Amino acid sequence: MRILVPLHSFEPGGVERVALRLAAAWAPAGSQPHIVLGRSDGIARSAAPPLAYDVLERGAISTAAFETLWMIARLPGRIRATRPDVLFCAGNSYAVVGAVVKLLLGRRCPPIVLKVSNDLARADLHPLVRPFYRQWLRLQGRLIDRFVGLAEPMRDEIARAMRVAPDRIAIVDNPVLSRAELDRLAAQRDAIERSGAGRRFLAVGRLVPQKRFDLLLGAFARIGRAGDRLAILGDGPERARLETLAQTLGIWDRVDLPGHVEPVGPWLVGSDCFVLSSDYEGVPAVLVEALAAAVPIVTTDCGVSIRSLLDDGRLGSIVPVRDEAALAAAMDAAPAARPAEARARAARFTVERGAAEYLGLFRAVTLAASQPMCGSAEPAASLARQQ
């Protein structure tokens, strides 16, 4: 099984991190993951698994500013040369790559599997943009062969938004952690000694508008007491604006912005509350890690899977998106942790389990593609579960 995975770079992101972890798990199982990188830079490079990387960028000119166009221009040649059995697009941001490659290659294009990594409703979009966005989703439904949701509630969302039949949608719980990492987080959290020197709030993610760290800073300013601290792990184009906002709110001396940190486990286990303030998400990897560490969670209702993941609020507080007052109140109330239940929920999201399910799905997809005239095959989602 030859699996081609296009990734833009080693810039940190949950989509890229999970894709590389899956590839590292596929190789020992006898498959041949082929990672095609638009460029080889990115601060997460040192933590990447030891795989063979096919880098498209050559020379001194960076392709970062036009990375999607660069991937679209170069990927068809790699597909013709390597003839993979399946093309795996690891997140929503790679959907345009898969769709255009399909149009360019036609019947010569391998089956495309797209992991839907983010919420599809996108209520944050301007009303004038939404009709075009909906049409784009339907176009994906016509061009992409199979879709993968990260949790069961995403099945109906994908079917409605992209107008695809249920047998073209598989559900694979987002493979965020290895079993060893799951056990290590639990052990570290149980062993840590709590101190009374203020509350420690933690958030993790790229410093981009989607994450709404401005909302988080405002919420912390409302309820933060002397000795309380807020750490936001990540980097991105919003850094300067967030630093200025923290100074304006008078909380700069209690906010830490250390940049990209790997791993986040030591920060999680030392926190009193993990906060997710996003406008939209799929099944955030760091939210699963917070469950594994049994850290109290406060999150916005930023995706169809959030309530299912947190057992409709039993495993964390859920507040409306863009509601600073509600976010602040939930942070101040310190939701209770349920260690046994939280860790049991996180155990569904292991790389070992997810890698096997993806391979089962890929086999089903390639089998269906090789028998186009033999009637309908057994639904890919069902086949994937049986592997």
Side-chain angles (χ1 to χ4, degrees):
M1 176 71 65
R2 295 164 298 176
I3 309 162
L4 192 151
V5 185
L7 298 175
H8 292 311
S9 70
F10 289 114
E11 292 296 338
V15 163
E16 289 75 15
R17 183 176 64 166
V18 170
L20 292 176
R21 288 186 164 202
L22 282 171
W26 291 333
S31 297
Q32 299 177 22
H34 180 192
I35 309 299
V36 177
L37 283 171
R39 61 187 192 280
S40 61
D41 56 348
I43 58 177
R45 181 176 182 175
S46 61
L51 299 167
Y53 297 101
D54 183 0
V55 182
L56 299 177
E57 185 179 70
R58 296 289 186 271
I61 299 176
S62 173
T63 59
F66 51 95
E67 60 185 10
T68 299
L69 291 176
W70 176 251
M71 182 64 73
I72 289 171
R74 298 296 306 276
L75 191 59
R78 285 296 193 273
I79 291 174
R80 294 190 194 99
T82 61
R83 302 179 65 183
D85 295 301
V86 64
L87 175 65
F88 177 53
C89 294
N92 296 49
S93 58
Y94 295 95
V96 63
V97 174
V100 176
V101 166
K102 184 81 166 192
L103 290 171
L104 292 173
L105 294 180
R107 294 182 178 180
R108 294 175 296 171
C109 186
I112 300 174
V113 175
L114 171 66
K115 186 181 81 172
V116 180
S117 59
N118 252 324
D119 170 66
L120 295 179
R122 293 298 304 274
D124 61 301
L125 293 176
H126 191 280
L128 294 178
V129 176
R130 287 176 194 163
F132 299 99
Y133 171 69
R134 287 194 290 267
Q135 290 299 321
W136 162 233
L137 292 179
R138 293 166 190 168
L139 179 61
Q140 291 179 46
R142 291 196 290 269
L143 293 173
I144 306 298
D145 297 275
R146 293 290 188 275
F147 298 88
V148 179
L150 307 184
E152 188 59 41
M154 295 181 72
R155 188 188 300 276
D156 289 342
E157 181 188 42
I158 295 169
R160 288 195 308 269
M162 299 186 174
R163 296 188 177 181
V164 297
D167 63 354
R168 291 175 58 198
I169 304 169
I171 300 299
V172 179
D173 292 323
N174 198 18
V176 171
L177 295 165
S178 68
R179 291 193 184 99
E181 289 171 320
L182 189 71
D183 293 341
R184 184 163 58 249
L185 282 172
Q188 290 174 343
R189 180 70 176 179
D190 290 342
I192 197 167
E193 295 184 5
R194 317 304 299 164
S195 70
R199 299 172 294 178
R200 288 156 292 182
F201 297 93
L202 177 70
V204 180
R206 293 193 66 229
L207 306 185
V208 293
Q210 170 194 351
K211 304 299 182 180
R212 290 310 307 268
F213 290 133
D214 57 333
L215 190 82
L216 175 57
L217 290 173
F220 180 71
R222 287 174 181 245
I223 57 93
R225 301 191 290 262
D228 291 351
R229 297 199 69 81
L230 168 64
I232 303 175
L233 311 186
D235 219 331
E238 291 261 290
R239 171 176 285 276
R241 189 174 80 88
L242 294 173
E243 290 176 346
T244 300
L245 178 60
Q247 292 168 358
T248 301
L249 292 171
I251 57 174
W252 178 240
D253 60 332
R254 291 178 287 146
V255 172
D256 299 309
L257 291 168
H260 175 71
V261 175
E262 191 73 35
V264 300
W267 289 78
L268 275 170
V269 299
S271 298
D272 297 299
C273 182
F274 174 78
V275 188
L276 183 74
S277 52
S278 299
D279 274 346
Y280 59 93
E281 293 283 355
V283 177
V286 71
L287 199 58
V288 175
E289 292 180 88
L291 285 170
V295 179
I297 291 170
V298 172
T299 177
T300 54
D301 196 3
C302 53
V304 296
S305 300
I306 296 296
R307 291 190 174 276
S308 172
L309 180 64
L310 297 184
D311 196 13
D312 206 23
R314 278 177 50 81
L315 301 179
S317 297
I318 305 171
V319 302
V321 296
R322 301 186 177 189
D323 190 332
E324 183 181 293
L327 185 67
M331 292 167 61
D332 202 28
R338 298 175 181 268
E341 295 176 54
R343 289 163 183 166
R345 184 60 55 93
R348 292 167 29 191
F349 297 86
T350 62
V351 174
E352 292 86 350
R353 176 179 173 178
E357 293 189 357
Y358 269 108
L359 288 178
L361 172 62
F362 295 157
R363 293 188 189 104
V365 170
T366 55
L367 177 62
S370 68
Q371 300 175 335
M373 303 302 292
C374 295
S376 59
E378 185 178 354
S382 176
L383 285 174
R385 291 290 185 188
Q386 295 174 18
Q387 296 294 327

